[in-house]
Every structure is written in structure tokens, then in C-alpha cells.
mmCIF file of all heavy atoms in Angstrom:
data_model
loop_
_atom_site.group_PDB
_atom_site.id
_atom_site.type_symbol
_atom_site.label_atom_id
_atom_site.label_comp_id
_atom_site.label_asym_id
_atom_site.label_seq_id
_atom_site.Cartn_x
_atom_site.Cartn_y
_atom_site.Cartn_z
ATOM 1 N N TRP A 1 0.815 -1.217 0.000
ATOM 2 C CA TRP A 1 0.000 0.000 0.000
ATOM 3 C C TRP A 1 0.845 1.262 0.000
ATOM 4 O O TRP A 1 0.400 2.302 -0.488
ATOM 5 C CB TRP A 1 -0.974 -0.042 1.177
ATOM 6 C CG TRP A 1 -2.117 -0.965 0.860
ATOM 7 C CD1 TRP A 1 -2.154 -2.318 0.997
ATOM 8 C CD2 TRP A 1 -3.376 -0.608 0.280
ATOM 9 N NE1 TRP A 1 -3.345 -2.830 0.561
ATOM 10 C CE2 TRP A 1 -4.131 -1.801 0.115
ATOM 11 C CE3 TRP A 1 -3.947 0.599 -0.101
ATOM 12 C CZ2 TRP A 1 -5.408 -1.800 -0.426
ATOM 13 C CZ3 TRP A 1 -5.233 0.600 -0.624
ATOM 14 C CH2 TRP A 1 -5.950 -0.587 -0.791
ATOM 15 N N MET A 2 2.058 1.206 0.500
ATOM 16 C CA MET A 2 2.975 2.339 0.334
ATOM 17 C C MET A 2 3.282 2.543 -1.147
ATOM 18 O O MET A 2 3.242 3.672 -1.660
ATOM 19 C CB MET A 2 4.273 2.088 1.116
ATOM 20 C CG MET A 2 4.148 2.208 2.622
ATOM 21 S SD MET A 2 5.647 1.650 3.501
ATOM 22 C CE MET A 2 6.868 2.790 2.867
ATOM 23 N N PHE A 3 3.580 1.446 -1.841
ATOM 24 C CA PHE A 3 3.873 1.530 -3.265
ATOM 25 C C PHE A 3 2.633 1.973 -4.039
ATOM 26 O O PHE A 3 2.713 2.809 -4.952
ATOM 27 C CB PHE A 3 4.355 0.176 -3.776
ATOM 28 C CG PHE A 3 4.726 0.168 -5.232
ATOM 29 C CD1 PHE A 3 5.902 0.752 -5.665
ATOM 30 C CD2 PHE A 3 3.894 -0.419 -6.162
ATOM 31 C CE1 PHE A 3 6.240 0.764 -7.012
ATOM 32 C CE2 PHE A 3 4.222 -0.427 -7.507
ATOM 33 C CZ PHE A 3 5.398 0.163 -7.937
ATOM 34 N N LEU A 4 1.472 1.426 -3.662
ATOM 35 C CA LEU A 4 0.238 1.778 -4.334
ATOM 36 C C LEU A 4 -0.082 3.257 -4.156
ATOM 37 O O LEU A 4 -0.532 3.944 -5.090
ATOM 38 C CB LEU A 4 -0.903 0.914 -3.786
ATOM 39 C CG LEU A 4 -2.198 0.847 -4.593
ATOM 40 C CD1 LEU A 4 -1.956 0.307 -6.000
ATOM 41 C CD2 LEU A 4 -3.211 -0.022 -3.870
ATOM 42 N N SER A 5 0.158 3.776 -2.963
ATOM 43 C CA SER A 5 -0.051 5.201 -2.708
ATOM 44 C C SER A 5 0.820 6.060 -3.613
ATOM 45 O O SER A 5 0.376 7.057 -4.189
ATOM 46 C CB SER A 5 0.241 5.508 -1.235
ATOM 47 O OG SER A 5 0.161 6.879 -0.970
ATOM 48 N N ASP A 6 2.087 5.672 -3.756
ATOM 49 C CA ASP A 6 2.989 6.397 -4.660
ATOM 50 C C ASP A 6 2.527 6.276 -6.111
ATOM 51 O O ASP A 6 2.625 7.227 -6.889
ATOM 52 C CB ASP A 6 4.407 5.854 -4.532
ATOM 53 C CG ASP A 6 5.054 6.211 -3.208
ATOM 54 O OD1 ASP A 6 4.616 7.204 -2.594
ATOM 55 O OD2 ASP A 6 5.983 5.501 -2.791
ATOM 56 N N LEU A 7 2.031 5.092 -6.464
ATOM 57 C CA LEU A 7 1.570 4.868 -7.830
ATOM 58 C C LEU A 7 0.325 5.694 -8.123
ATOM 59 O O LEU A 7 0.164 6.241 -9.223
ATOM 60 C CB LEU A 7 1.291 3.381 -8.026
ATOM 61 C CG LEU A 7 1.264 2.846 -9.461
ATOM 62 C CD1 LEU A 7 2.566 3.140 -10.192
ATOM 63 C CD2 LEU A 7 0.992 1.349 -9.442
ATOM 64 N N TYR A 8 -0.587 5.795 -7.142
ATOM 65 C CA TYR A 8 -1.756 6.652 -7.303
ATOM 66 C C TYR A 8 -1.335 8.092 -7.563
ATOM 67 O O TYR A 8 -1.861 8.774 -8.444
ATOM 68 C CB TYR A 8 -2.622 6.609 -6.041
ATOM 69 C CG TYR A 8 -3.468 5.381 -5.880
ATOM 70 C CD1 TYR A 8 -3.874 4.955 -4.614
ATOM 71 C CD2 TYR A 8 -3.903 4.636 -6.972
ATOM 72 C CE1 TYR A 8 -4.667 3.836 -4.439
ATOM 73 C CE2 TYR A 8 -4.685 3.514 -6.810
ATOM 74 C CZ TYR A 8 -5.065 3.113 -5.543
ATOM 75 O OH TYR A 8 -5.852 2.002 -5.384
ATOM 76 N N ALA A 9 -0.383 8.577 -6.754
ATOM 77 C CA ALA A 9 0.074 9.959 -6.920
ATOM 78 C C ALA A 9 0.695 10.165 -8.296
ATOM 79 O O ALA A 9 0.454 11.186 -8.957
ATOM 80 C CB ALA A 9 1.081 10.306 -5.823
ATOM 81 N N LEU A 10 1.486 9.209 -8.757
ATOM 82 C CA LEU A 10 2.093 9.306 -10.081
ATOM 83 C C LEU A 10 1.024 9.276 -11.170
ATOM 84 O O LEU A 10 1.113 10.007 -12.167
ATOM 85 C CB LEU A 10 3.087 8.164 -10.278
ATOM 86 C CG LEU A 10 3.794 8.098 -11.643
ATOM 87 C CD1 LEU A 10 4.608 9.365 -11.903
ATOM 88 C CD2 LEU A 10 4.677 6.854 -11.718
ATOM 89 N N SER A 11 -0.001 8.452 -10.986
ATOM 90 C CA SER A 11 -1.045 8.332 -12.010
ATOM 91 C C SER A 11 -1.783 9.646 -12.209
ATOM 92 O O SER A 11 -2.263 9.930 -13.305
ATOM 93 C CB SER A 11 -2.035 7.217 -11.644
ATOM 94 O OG SER A 11 -2.878 7.592 -10.568
ATOM 95 N N ARG A 12 -1.875 10.462 -11.156
ATOM 96 C CA ARG A 12 -2.554 11.751 -11.287
ATOM 97 C C ARG A 12 -1.728 12.760 -12.062
ATOM 98 O O ARG A 12 -2.225 13.816 -12.442
ATOM 99 C CB ARG A 12 -2.921 12.289 -9.903
ATOM 100 C CG ARG A 12 -3.982 11.455 -9.199
ATOM 101 C CD ARG A 12 -4.531 12.148 -7.972
ATOM 102 N NE ARG A 12 -3.593 12.188 -6.866
ATOM 103 C CZ ARG A 12 -3.456 11.233 -5.959
ATOM 104 N NH1 ARG A 12 -4.177 10.125 -6.057
ATOM 105 N NH2 ARG A 12 -2.605 11.365 -4.967
ATOM 106 N N GLU A 13 -0.454 12.437 -12.289
ATOM 107 C CA GLU A 13 0.404 13.289 -13.110
ATOM 108 C C GLU A 13 0.467 12.799 -14.560
ATOM 109 O O GLU A 13 1.132 13.406 -15.385
ATOM 110 C CB GLU A 13 1.821 13.315 -12.530
ATOM 111 C CG GLU A 13 1.916 13.797 -11.089
ATOM 112 C CD GLU A 13 1.639 15.282 -10.959
ATOM 113 O OE1 GLU A 13 1.685 15.985 -11.995
ATOM 114 O OE2 GLU A 13 1.356 15.734 -9.831
ATOM 115 N N ARG A 14 -0.197 11.697 -14.844
ATOM 116 C CA ARG A 14 -0.192 11.118 -16.183
ATOM 117 C C ARG A 14 -1.618 11.064 -16.722
ATOM 118 O O ARG A 14 -2.582 11.302 -16.000
ATOM 119 C CB ARG A 14 0.397 9.692 -16.155
ATOM 120 C CG ARG A 14 1.831 9.610 -15.644
ATOM 121 C CD ARG A 14 2.804 10.329 -16.575
ATOM 122 N NE ARG A 14 4.200 10.066 -16.201
ATOM 123 C CZ ARG A 14 4.905 10.812 -15.364
ATOM 124 N NH1 ARG A 14 4.328 11.858 -14.777
ATOM 125 N NH2 ARG A 14 6.161 10.509 -15.084
ATOM 126 N N GLN A 15 -1.755 10.720 -17.986
ATOM 127 C CA GLN A 15 -3.083 10.549 -18.549
ATOM 128 C C GLN A 15 -3.746 9.322 -17.930
ATOM 129 O O GLN A 15 -3.083 8.330 -17.637
ATOM 130 C CB GLN A 15 -2.996 10.401 -20.065
ATOM 131 C CG GLN A 15 -2.493 11.649 -20.785
ATOM 132 C CD GLN A 15 -2.482 11.480 -22.287
ATOM 133 O OE1 GLN A 15 -3.127 10.595 -22.828
ATOM 134 N NE2 GLN A 15 -1.737 12.333 -22.967
ATOM 135 N N PRO A 16 -5.071 9.382 -17.738
ATOM 136 C CA PRO A 16 -5.755 8.236 -17.140
ATOM 137 C C PRO A 16 -6.029 7.139 -18.158
ATOM 138 O O PRO A 16 -6.151 7.393 -19.358
ATOM 139 C CB PRO A 16 -7.071 8.849 -16.639
ATOM 140 C CG PRO A 16 -7.318 9.999 -17.556
ATOM 141 C CD PRO A 16 -5.964 10.542 -17.924
ATOM 142 N N ILE A 17 -6.106 5.926 -17.673
ATOM 143 C CA ILE A 17 -6.557 4.771 -18.451
ATOM 144 C C ILE A 17 -7.808 4.246 -17.768
ATOM 145 O O ILE A 17 -7.791 3.966 -16.569
ATOM 146 C CB ILE A 17 -5.478 3.677 -18.525
ATOM 147 C CG1 ILE A 17 -4.269 4.171 -19.329
ATOM 148 C CG2 ILE A 17 -6.036 2.399 -19.150
ATOM 149 C CD1 ILE A 17 -3.087 3.217 -19.312
ATOM 150 N N GLU A 18 -8.889 4.135 -18.509
ATOM 151 C CA GLU A 18 -10.155 3.707 -17.923
ATOM 152 C C GLU A 18 -10.098 2.250 -17.496
ATOM 153 O O GLU A 18 -9.671 1.376 -18.258
ATOM 154 C CB GLU A 18 -11.291 3.896 -18.933
ATOM 155 C CG GLU A 18 -12.652 3.493 -18.397
ATOM 156 C CD GLU A 18 -13.744 3.597 -19.438
ATOM 157 O OE1 GLU A 18 -13.422 3.588 -20.646
ATOM 158 O OE2 GLU A 18 -14.920 3.685 -19.054
ATOM 159 N N GLY A 19 -10.510 1.996 -16.264
ATOM 160 C CA GLY A 19 -10.559 0.630 -15.762
ATOM 161 C C GLY A 19 -11.981 0.241 -15.414
ATOM 162 O O GLY A 19 -12.685 0.990 -14.744
ATOM 163 N N LYS A 20 -12.424 -0.920 -15.888
ATOM 164 C CA LYS A 20 -13.771 -1.399 -15.589
ATOM 165 C C LYS A 20 -13.723 -2.852 -15.147
ATOM 166 O O LYS A 20 -13.011 -3.668 -15.729
ATOM 167 C CB LYS A 20 -14.686 -1.248 -16.808
ATOM 168 C CG LYS A 20 -15.087 0.187 -17.095
ATOM 169 C CD LYS A 20 -16.168 0.275 -18.155
ATOM 170 C CE LYS A 20 -16.630 1.706 -18.343
ATOM 171 N NZ LYS A 20 -17.699 1.814 -19.369
ATOM 172 N N LEU A 21 -14.510 -3.143 -14.124
ATOM 173 C CA LEU A 21 -14.587 -4.481 -13.553
ATOM 174 C C LEU A 21 -15.983 -5.048 -13.792
ATOM 175 O O LEU A 21 -16.975 -4.348 -13.619
ATOM 176 C CB LEU A 21 -14.293 -4.416 -12.052
ATOM 177 C CG LEU A 21 -14.403 -5.705 -11.242
ATOM 178 C CD1 LEU A 21 -13.347 -6.697 -11.668
ATOM 179 C CD2 LEU A 21 -14.290 -5.401 -9.749
ATOM 180 N N ASN A 22 -16.050 -6.306 -14.199
ATOM 181 C CA ASN A 22 -17.328 -6.970 -14.414
ATOM 182 C C ASN A 22 -17.283 -8.358 -13.760
ATOM 183 O O ASN A 22 -16.479 -9.194 -14.174
ATOM 184 C CB ASN A 22 -17.617 -7.095 -15.912
ATOM 185 C CG ASN A 22 -18.998 -7.677 -16.185
ATOM 186 O OD1 ASN A 22 -19.863 -7.676 -15.316
ATOM 187 N ND2 ASN A 22 -19.194 -8.183 -17.392
ATOM 188 N N PRO A 23 -18.108 -8.609 -12.713
ATOM 189 C CA PRO A 23 -19.127 -7.734 -12.135
ATOM 190 C C PRO A 23 -18.509 -6.573 -11.349
ATOM 191 O O PRO A 23 -17.415 -6.702 -10.803
ATOM 192 C CB PRO A 23 -19.909 -8.670 -11.210
ATOM 193 C CG PRO A 23 -18.917 -9.732 -10.837
ATOM 194 C CD PRO A 23 -18.058 -9.930 -12.044
ATOM 195 N N SER A 24 -19.252 -5.458 -11.306
ATOM 196 C CA SER A 24 -18.686 -4.231 -10.747
ATOM 197 C C SER A 24 -19.104 -3.967 -9.309
ATOM 198 O O SER A 24 -18.607 -3.025 -8.697
ATOM 199 C CB SER A 24 -19.112 -3.045 -11.619
ATOM 200 O OG SER A 24 -20.524 -2.921 -11.654
ATOM 201 N N VAL A 25 -20.023 -4.762 -8.761
ATOM 202 C CA VAL A 25 -20.555 -4.503 -7.427
ATOM 203 C C VAL A 25 -20.285 -5.702 -6.517
ATOM 204 O O VAL A 25 -20.448 -6.846 -6.918
ATOM 205 C CB VAL A 25 -22.072 -4.221 -7.482
ATOM 206 C CG1 VAL A 25 -22.637 -4.035 -6.079
ATOM 207 C CG2 VAL A 25 -22.355 -2.991 -8.331
ATOM 208 N N GLY A 26 -19.864 -5.399 -5.281
ATOM 209 C CA GLY A 26 -19.704 -6.448 -4.291
ATOM 210 C C GLY A 26 -18.343 -7.110 -4.321
ATOM 211 O O GLY A 26 -17.475 -6.803 -5.146
ATOM 212 N N HIS A 27 -18.133 -8.047 -3.392
ATOM 213 C CA HIS A 27 -16.922 -8.846 -3.347
ATOM 214 C C HIS A 27 -17.101 -10.072 -4.237
ATOM 215 O O HIS A 27 -18.166 -10.693 -4.244
ATOM 216 C CB HIS A 27 -16.626 -9.284 -1.913
ATOM 217 C CG HIS A 27 -16.302 -8.145 -0.990
ATOM 218 N ND1 HIS A 27 -17.276 -7.368 -0.402
ATOM 219 C CD2 HIS A 27 -15.110 -7.652 -0.568
ATOM 220 C CE1 HIS A 27 -16.699 -6.442 0.351
ATOM 221 N NE2 HIS A 27 -15.394 -6.594 0.272
ATOM 222 N N ILE A 28 -16.069 -10.451 -4.949
ATOM 223 C CA ILE A 28 -16.151 -11.576 -5.878
ATOM 224 C C ILE A 28 -15.785 -12.859 -5.128
ATOM 225 O O ILE A 28 -14.682 -12.985 -4.591
ATOM 226 C CB ILE A 28 -15.204 -11.358 -7.068
ATOM 227 C CG1 ILE A 28 -15.599 -10.068 -7.806
ATOM 228 C CG2 ILE A 28 -15.252 -12.551 -8.023
ATOM 229 C CD1 ILE A 28 -14.644 -9.675 -8.909
ATOM 230 N N PRO A 29 -16.718 -13.833 -5.061
ATOM 231 C CA PRO A 29 -16.458 -15.056 -4.285
ATOM 232 C C PRO A 29 -15.415 -15.960 -4.946
ATOM 233 O O PRO A 29 -15.221 -15.933 -6.167
ATOM 234 C CB PRO A 29 -17.838 -15.751 -4.249
ATOM 235 C CG PRO A 29 -18.826 -14.706 -4.641
ATOM 236 C CD PRO A 29 -18.096 -13.784 -5.567
ATOM 237 N N GLU A 30 -14.770 -16.756 -4.134
ATOM 238 C CA GLU A 30 -13.770 -17.724 -4.577
ATOM 239 C C GLU A 30 -14.300 -18.568 -5.736
ATOM 240 O O GLU A 30 -15.429 -19.057 -5.715
ATOM 241 C CB GLU A 30 -13.407 -18.627 -3.404
ATOM 242 C CG GLU A 30 -12.401 -19.710 -3.711
ATOM 243 C CD GLU A 30 -12.105 -20.573 -2.512
ATOM 244 O OE1 GLU A 30 -12.763 -20.376 -1.456
ATOM 245 O OE2 GLU A 30 -11.219 -21.444 -2.607
ATOM 246 N N GLY A 31 -13.472 -18.703 -6.779
ATOM 247 C CA GLY A 31 -13.822 -19.518 -7.934
ATOM 248 C C GLY A 31 -14.650 -18.817 -8.983
ATOM 249 O O GLY A 31 -14.860 -19.357 -10.078
ATOM 250 N N THR A 32 -15.132 -17.600 -8.706
ATOM 251 C CA THR A 32 -15.984 -16.871 -9.647
ATOM 252 C C THR A 32 -15.143 -16.194 -10.717
ATOM 253 O O THR A 32 -14.138 -15.539 -10.421
ATOM 254 C CB THR A 32 -16.824 -15.815 -8.908
ATOM 255 O OG1 THR A 32 -17.627 -16.461 -7.915
ATOM 256 C CG2 THR A 32 -17.716 -15.054 -9.875
ATOM 257 N N ALA A 33 -15.554 -16.335 -11.964
ATOM 258 C CA ALA A 33 -14.864 -15.674 -13.068
ATOM 259 C C ALA A 33 -15.239 -14.186 -13.098
ATOM 260 O O ALA A 33 -16.375 -13.815 -12.799
ATOM 261 C CB ALA A 33 -15.236 -16.331 -14.388
ATOM 262 N N PHE A 34 -14.284 -13.359 -13.450
ATOM 263 C CA PHE A 34 -14.558 -11.931 -13.612
ATOM 264 C C PHE A 34 -13.632 -11.372 -14.690
ATOM 265 O O PHE A 34 -12.653 -12.013 -15.093
ATOM 266 C CB PHE A 34 -14.384 -11.172 -12.296
ATOM 267 C CG PHE A 34 -12.980 -11.183 -11.737
ATOM 268 C CD1 PHE A 34 -12.087 -10.163 -12.017
ATOM 269 C CD2 PHE A 34 -12.555 -12.220 -10.925
ATOM 270 C CE1 PHE A 34 -10.797 -10.175 -11.506
ATOM 271 C CE2 PHE A 34 -11.275 -12.247 -10.397
ATOM 272 C CZ PHE A 34 -10.387 -11.221 -10.690
ATOM 273 N N LYS A 35 -13.963 -10.177 -15.149
ATOM 274 C CA LYS A 35 -13.183 -9.534 -16.200
ATOM 275 C C LYS A 35 -12.734 -8.151 -15.743
ATOM 276 O O LYS A 35 -13.477 -7.436 -15.076
ATOM 277 C CB LYS A 35 -14.010 -9.400 -17.482
ATOM 278 C CG LYS A 35 -14.377 -10.721 -18.135
ATOM 279 C CD LYS A 35 -15.159 -10.497 -19.418
ATOM 280 C CE LYS A 35 -15.502 -11.829 -20.083
ATOM 281 N NZ LYS A 35 -16.228 -11.632 -21.371
ATOM 282 N N VAL A 36 -11.520 -7.794 -16.136
ATOM 283 C CA VAL A 36 -11.005 -6.444 -15.932
ATOM 284 C C VAL A 36 -10.672 -5.884 -17.312
ATOM 285 O O VAL A 36 -9.878 -6.476 -18.047
ATOM 286 C CB VAL A 36 -9.754 -6.429 -15.035
ATOM 287 C CG1 VAL A 36 -9.210 -5.011 -14.910
ATOM 288 C CG2 VAL A 36 -10.075 -7.001 -13.664
ATOM 289 N N GLY A 37 -11.312 -4.771 -17.650
ATOM 290 C CA GLY A 37 -11.052 -4.120 -18.934
ATOM 291 C C GLY A 37 -10.319 -2.815 -18.737
ATOM 292 O O GLY A 37 -10.704 -1.991 -17.898
ATOM 293 N N LEU A 38 -9.236 -2.615 -19.469
ATOM 294 C CA LEU A 38 -8.436 -1.389 -19.401
ATOM 295 C C LEU A 38 -8.416 -0.758 -20.787
ATOM 296 O O LEU A 38 -8.017 -1.409 -21.759
ATOM 297 C CB LEU A 38 -7.020 -1.698 -18.921
ATOM 298 C CG LEU A 38 -6.937 -2.296 -17.508
ATOM 299 C CD1 LEU A 38 -5.627 -3.032 -17.302
ATOM 300 C CD2 LEU A 38 -7.094 -1.190 -16.472
ATOM 301 N N THR A 39 -8.856 0.494 -20.880
ATOM 302 C CA THR A 39 -9.015 1.151 -22.175
ATOM 303 C C THR A 39 -8.181 2.411 -22.238
ATOM 304 O O THR A 39 -8.342 3.324 -21.420
ATOM 305 C CB THR A 39 -10.492 1.494 -22.433
ATOM 306 O OG1 THR A 39 -11.291 0.318 -22.296
ATOM 307 C CG2 THR A 39 -10.670 2.063 -23.827
ATOM 308 N N SER A 40 -7.291 2.463 -23.227
ATOM 309 C CA SER A 40 -6.433 3.618 -23.449
ATOM 310 C C SER A 40 -7.052 4.529 -24.502
ATOM 311 O O SER A 40 -7.715 4.065 -25.436
ATOM 312 C CB SER A 40 -5.050 3.150 -23.913
ATOM 313 O OG SER A 40 -4.269 4.239 -24.353
ATOM 314 N N ASP A 41 -6.842 5.840 -24.365
ATOM 315 C CA ASP A 41 -7.359 6.793 -25.343
ATOM 316 C C ASP A 41 -6.462 6.909 -26.569
ATOM 317 O O ASP A 41 -6.872 7.494 -27.576
ATOM 318 C CB ASP A 41 -7.513 8.177 -24.709
ATOM 319 C CG ASP A 41 -8.943 8.435 -24.281
ATOM 320 O OD1 ASP A 41 -9.705 7.465 -24.156
ATOM 321 O OD2 ASP A 41 -9.308 9.609 -24.079
ATOM 322 N N GLU A 42 -5.255 6.375 -26.493
ATOM 323 C CA GLU A 42 -4.303 6.506 -27.598
ATOM 324 C C GLU A 42 -3.606 5.171 -27.840
ATOM 325 O O GLU A 42 -3.534 4.318 -26.952
ATOM 326 C CB GLU A 42 -3.260 7.586 -27.287
ATOM 327 C CG GLU A 42 -3.834 8.981 -27.092
ATOM 328 C CD GLU A 42 -2.767 9.995 -26.741
ATOM 329 O OE1 GLU A 42 -1.560 9.648 -26.862
ATOM 330 O OE2 GLU A 42 -3.120 11.120 -26.343
ATOM 331 N N ASP A 43 -3.088 5.018 -29.068
ATOM 332 C CA ASP A 43 -2.258 3.856 -29.366
ATOM 333 C C ASP A 43 -0.962 3.933 -28.563
ATOM 334 O O ASP A 43 -0.521 5.014 -28.166
ATOM 335 C CB ASP A 43 -1.916 3.819 -30.862
ATOM 336 C CG ASP A 43 -3.135 3.582 -31.732
ATOM 337 O OD1 ASP A 43 -4.162 3.107 -31.206
ATOM 338 O OD2 ASP A 43 -3.071 3.895 -32.934
ATOM 339 N N GLY A 44 -0.351 2.792 -28.346
ATOM 340 C CA GLY A 44 0.926 2.801 -27.649
ATOM 341 C C GLY A 44 1.364 1.397 -27.306
ATOM 342 O O GLY A 44 0.909 0.416 -27.903
ATOM 343 N N PHE A 45 2.260 1.320 -26.337
ATOM 344 C CA PHE A 45 2.786 0.039 -25.876
ATOM 345 C C PHE A 45 2.519 -0.068 -24.376
ATOM 346 O O PHE A 45 2.543 0.926 -23.656
ATOM 347 C CB PHE A 45 4.274 -0.067 -26.177
ATOM 348 C CG PHE A 45 4.583 -0.042 -27.644
ATOM 349 C CD1 PHE A 45 4.829 1.163 -28.290
ATOM 350 C CD2 PHE A 45 4.596 -1.212 -28.385
ATOM 351 C CE1 PHE A 45 5.098 1.193 -29.645
ATOM 352 C CE2 PHE A 45 4.868 -1.188 -29.749
ATOM 353 C CZ PHE A 45 5.114 0.018 -30.383
ATOM 354 N N MET A 46 2.280 -1.292 -23.904
ATOM 355 C CA MET A 46 1.818 -1.466 -22.531
ATOM 356 C C MET A 46 2.634 -2.496 -21.771
ATOM 357 O O MET A 46 3.300 -3.366 -22.344
ATOM 358 C CB MET A 46 0.355 -1.909 -22.536
ATOM 359 C CG MET A 46 0.170 -3.305 -23.129
ATOM 360 S SD MET A 46 -1.503 -3.921 -22.963
ATOM 361 C CE MET A 46 -1.322 -5.535 -23.763
ATOM 362 N N ALA A 47 2.542 -2.365 -20.470
ATOM 363 C CA ALA A 47 2.944 -3.415 -19.532
ATOM 364 C C ALA A 47 1.839 -3.491 -18.492
ATOM 365 O O ALA A 47 1.360 -2.453 -18.018
ATOM 366 C CB ALA A 47 4.281 -3.084 -18.882
ATOM 367 N N VAL A 48 1.417 -4.689 -18.156
ATOM 368 C CA VAL A 48 0.323 -4.875 -17.200
ATOM 369 C C VAL A 48 0.802 -5.820 -16.100
ATOM 370 O O VAL A 48 1.362 -6.887 -16.392
ATOM 371 C CB VAL A 48 -0.935 -5.454 -17.887
ATOM 372 C CG1 VAL A 48 -2.076 -5.570 -16.874
ATOM 373 C CG2 VAL A 48 -1.360 -4.586 -19.066
#
């Protein structure tokens, strides 16, 4: 969470990338499939 806090601060200095979770509400139970979608506004190269 120290690293995540620093990463959050850095992200506010960069362009945002939209993140969406499906399902989006509640805690996801063990064994349940879910999807994370990340959408960039521009072409480029990524690391995830």
C-alpha cells in the first residue's frame, strides 16, 4: 500500500486509463470468473 499510494500519486500526473470491472458490485467469491477491462485513449505500448 505504500507503493500503491505512490503509484496513485504518479497516475494523477499522467493521462488516465479507464478501468472497468465486471461484475462491478460487491466482493467476488472464490472460484468466480470476472473480467477487468483497461481502455487507453491513444495507441501505444503497454505493460500490465
Side-chain angles (χ1 to χ4, degrees):
W1 283 84
M2 287 171 61
F3 182 74
L4 196 59
S5 175
D6 290 337
L7 200 57
Y8 283 155
L10 178 60
S11 73
R12 293 192 288 273
E13 302 290 344
R14 300 295 189 269
Q15 295 183 18
I17 294 173
E18 181 184 21
K20 287 190 175 181
L21 177 66
N22 185 18
S24 60
V25 177
H27 295 82
I28 300 174
E30 179 181 5
T32 301
F34 63 94
K35 294 182 179 182
V36 177
L38 298 159
T39 306
S40 170
D41 262 18
E42 299 178 11
D43 294 342
F45 297 90
M46 67 173 180
V48 183

